[in-house]
Amino acid sequence: MDLTSLDHIRTPRSRSDLVLGPGSAPLAGGTWLFSEPQRDLSELVDLTGLGWAPFEVGEGLTIAATCTLRQLADLPAVPGWRSQNLVVECLRSLVMSEKVWDLATVGGNICLALPAGSLITLAVALEATAVVWTPSGEYELPVLDLVTGVRSTALGPGDVLRSITIHADALASPSAFGRAALTRHGRSGAIVVGRRDGDGLVATITASVPRPYRFAFSSYPSTGAVAEAVDTIEDWYDDPHGAPDWRRAQTLRLAEQVRRELA
Ligand SMILES: Cc1cc2nc3c(=O)[nH]c(=O)nc-3n(C[C@H](O)[C@H](O)[C@H](O)COP(=O)(O)OP(=O)(O)OC[C@H]3O[C@@H](n4cnc5c(N)ncnc54)[C@H](O)[C@@H]3O)c2cc1C
């Protein structure tokens, strides 16, 4: 849609030009920004002109915020990364057209902070660290702490997500993925990812909750231990894609499913 409140769209080519004043917001793929009126915005600052490489495979995996969903889907298979299948599982969980896949970015999905943002799922399940550029420097924080609620993040004014980094150990550990939606092609209502961590298990819960939850068990948990952890959640998300009691029930079911799969 036309964003009539905008005065202009600026495309910086270097970090020194990447200045976000009042009324400015980063523009990535624009698939959400141009989907509804943005009355508080007068300027968009297009990050795609900065020319960041979509991803780098080294000791681990670094994904630029501007990496599109299509580019991430083309990540080459890396021998030994037993959790790499999570990339495709999480991408497939976004119910969108091929056209949107070509434009939507990893950073846009994370910073939009919707419960069904499954790049958040990927990042939290693999214990990714976010690199955030500020007007005067940069800082790092776990993506778990970056997403604080529905459409809410820990980013301050002028902050830009630069990239996320995933350690090779997390990518090398086996994982299991479970997803529920109200309809076959519906938006995610609950996602649970389990990942073996030594003798234990790390369970990540998204989509059914306003912000991601992660539960770490140092030894392999019983059915009851997983259910007990899930039941500490009090704020189940409620929208047309699922009622809170249904989301809780699906989360418990999926958590037991991934626990059994990885036992
Ligand atoms: C048909 C359709 C289906 C969709 N389904 C889903 C879905 O299932 N789940 C879901 O989560 N979303 C969904 N979306 C919403 C959206 O398209 C995606 O979340 C997408 O990944 C957003 O990425 P983008 O690059 O287009 O973000 P943009 O629209 O460019 O930006 C989104 C927000 O993030 C901010 N932002 C972007 N990049 C950065 C950065 N690097 N640093 C700081 N802030 C930044 C922007 O200022 C803006 O507030 C859907 C959209 C459509 C059109």
Side-chain angles (χ1 to χ4, degrees):
M1 69 181 303
D2 290 340
L3 297 181
T4 50
S5 64
L6 293 184
D7 294 329
H8 49 274
I9 296 180
R10 196 159 51 80
T11 307
R13 301 287 170 193
S14 67
R15 184 169 180 181
S16 54
D17 297 334
L18 183 56
V19 180
L20 292 156
S24 297
L27 166 64
T31 59
W32 176 80
L33 275 169
F34 285 95
S35 72
E36 56 183 71
Q38 306 289 345
R39 293 196 179 86
D40 296 338
L41 296 181
S42 53
E43 180 189 59
L44 291 177
V45 178
D46 188 348
L47 305 179
T48 61
L50 291 159
W52 298 336
F55 51 76
E56 280 171 41
V57 176
E59 286 291 296
L61 173 65
T62 298
I63 306 171
T66 48
C67 176
T68 64
L69 306 189
R70 170 82 57 212
Q71 287 168 326
L72 188 60
D74 290 339
L75 178 71
V78 178
W81 284 6
R82 286 187 283 179
S83 277
Q84 196 173 340
N85 65 307
L86 287 180
V87 171
V88 173
E89 296 281 14
C90 290
L91 287 170
R92 281 197 193 130
S93 301
L94 296 166
V95 183
M96 48 177 67
S97 66
E98 297 277 311
K99 217 169 168 180
V100 179
W101 261 48
D102 287 339
L103 293 170
T105 66
V106 172
N109 190 257
I110 293 172
C111 295
L112 187 55
L114 294 178
S118 55
L119 277 307
I120 300 170
T121 314
L122 179 75
V124 174
L126 293 174
E127 303 195 25
T129 300
V131 176
V132 178
W133 281 2
T134 70
S136 57
E138 68 178 58
Y139 64 93
E140 294 185 2
L141 82 169
V143 177
L144 178 66
D145 299 330
L146 178 68
V147 179
T148 53
V150 182
R151 300 279 335 279
S152 164
T153 68
L155 295 176
D159 287 0
V160 172
L161 176 64
R162 168 64 183 85
S163 59
I164 62 167
T165 301
I166 301 169
H167 203 273
D169 288 350
L171 285 154
S173 54
S175 61
F177 177 93
R179 174 181 184 269
L182 274 179
T183 58
R184 189 163 165 227
H185 298 295
R187 186 169 277 205
S188 304
I191 298 181
V192 179
V193 178
R195 195 169 58 73
R196 284 301 299 241
D197 187 18
D199 293 335
L201 178 78
V202 179
T204 297
I205 293 165
T206 54
S208 54
V209 281
R211 61 169 177 88
Y213 280 81
R214 191 165 63 209
F215 298 103
F217 304 88
S218 54
S219 56
Y220 208 76
S222 62
T223 305
V226 171
E228 203 177 306
V230 170
D231 263 336
T232 61
I233 298 174
E234 291 177 349
D235 51 345
W236 297 100
Y237 189 49
D238 186 10
D239 80 348
H241 301 286
D245 57 347
W246 176 82
R247 289 179 192 264
R248 175 181 166 275
Q250 293 302 319
T251 303
L252 283 165
R253 181 180 67 78
L254 295 171
E256 175 56 10
Q257 180 185 304
V258 301
R259 189 197 71 83
R260 278 175 188 241
E261 203 174 320
L262 292 170

